[in-house]
Amino acid sequence: MENAPPSGAGRRRVRRSRVPHRTREAIPRDCPVLVTLRVLDDVPPLRRAGFVRAFRESLRRAAERPGFRVVHYSVQDDHAHFLVEADDKLCLANGMKSLGARFARCVNRVCRRTGRVLATRFHHVVKRTPTEVRNALAYVLLNARKHYRERRGRKPPVVLDGASSGLWFDGWEGRSPPRLGKYADAFRRCEVAAARTWLLETGWRRIGLVDPSEVPGKCPRRRARAA
């Protein structure tokens, strides 16, 4: 009988991507796209003021490039959400390649680590209707409220998420944006691009403005159509 191979022999196992390597769908230039980046398990939590400041500075130099714009974002402990506009599939791929590289460099610099940062390819969903875009805005800008409720089992206080582009959002319902949270010192100059698609600039408002007290994922109350 042949000797058994030594323990640990063979090809090293690699964590599989959660996003299959399939041909990506076409991207209509008039539809915004919700994109998610996830980091590896060994990356420290990202919702810290130092990382938020560093990423904002980096994003300010990359939020707009030919055929690609980052309009809104939010950073969570192990992932980040972005609402972007892209002229086509290639512009989205190139824009996210640049954005992902900047994101990873910021993580390694702030966390004083080296090596790979992103766990998967970026995941994206095209938003094609005013309702879908309105829900995507609430999901991105209020995502921290969703995670707060999941962790603590109660509704979070109404505080603007400083690890997002919520300060620059002009679609809050019935009030000015709420008071700033602990990331207030990070806000200086706008780091995101202005929307150009009808859906993300104007169309979503027909469904109703975004209430800062909403919790994404919870069934929203019925909204009157905006005049």
Side-chain angles (χ1 to χ4, degrees), residues 166-194:
L167 177 68
W168 316 114
F169 182 55
D170 64 355
W172 296 119
E173 180 184 272
R175 70 190 84 178
S176 299
R179 62 188 178 86
L180 296 177
K182 64 180 180 179
Y183 302 99
D185 64 330
F187 291 102
R188 294 183 178 87
R189 294 179 292 114
C190 183
E191 73 279 10
V192 289

Side-chain angles (χ1 to χ4, degrees), residues 6-200:
S7 176
R11 185 176 178 181
R12 182 181 178 184
R13 298 185 65 181
V14 179
R15 176 175 177 176
R16 292 183 178 273
S17 171
R18 298 178 187 173
V19 183
H21 283 258
R22 299 171 183 164
T23 300
R24 294 190 185 273
E25 63 180 319
I27 303 297
R29 67 183 304 165
D30 59 346
C31 294
V33 184
L34 173 60
V35 182
T36 302
L37 291 178
R38 294 190 177 277
V39 300
L40 293 168
D41 293 340
D42 64 348
V43 174
L46 301 178
R47 284 179 65 82
R48 57 178 72 183
F51 176 76
V52 171
R53 282 194 296 268
F55 180 62
R56 282 171 53 86
E57 287 298 325
S58 183
L59 181 59
R60 190 172 289 125
R61 299 188 291 271
E64 187 164 5
R65 52 180 288 151
F68 179 83
R69 293 169 296 282
V70 179
V71 181
H72 284 294
Y73 73 93
S74 67
V75 175
Q76 306 306 317
D77 279 341
D78 62 356
H79 63 281
H81 296 294
F82 302 90
L83 262 178
V84 307
E85 296 174 333
D87 285 358
D88 53 35
K89 181 169 63 173
L90 180 60
C91 289
L92 177 65
N94 290 339
M96 288 308 302
K97 182 178 180 180
S98 173
L99 180 62
R102 285 180 174 273
F103 187 86
R105 285 197 296 269
C106 279
V107 169
N108 281 343
R109 184 170 66 252
V110 173
C111 298
R112 298 183 180 181
R113 66 187 298 279
T114 59
R116 183 179 169 188
V117 170
L118 300 180
T120 67
R121 303 170 76 202
F122 69 86
H123 176 266
H124 78 283
V125 181
V126 178
K127 300 300 179 180
R128 303 174 185 272
T129 68
T131 298
E132 289 181 348
V133 174
R134 193 263 175 211
N135 291 343
L137 280 164
Y139 183 79
V140 171
L141 298 177
L142 301 174
N143 199 250
R145 296 177 59 78
K146 171 180 175 288
H147 293 294
Y148 184 104
R149 186 189 64 185
E150 290 173 348
R151 289 194 308 268
R152 306 194 183 190
R154 56 189 174 88
K155 196 170 183 179
V158 183
V159 179
L160 184 66
D161 182 13
S164 78
S165 56
L167 177 68
W168 316 114
F169 182 55
D170 64 355
W172 296 119
E173 180 184 272
R175 70 190 84 178
S176 299
R179 62 188 178 86
L180 296 177
K182 64 180 180 179
Y183 302 99
D185 64 330
F187 291 102
R188 294 183 178 87
R189 294 179 292 114
C190 183
E191 73 279 10
V192 289
R196 294 185 189 175
T197 60
W198 175 80
L199 280 170
L200 192 49

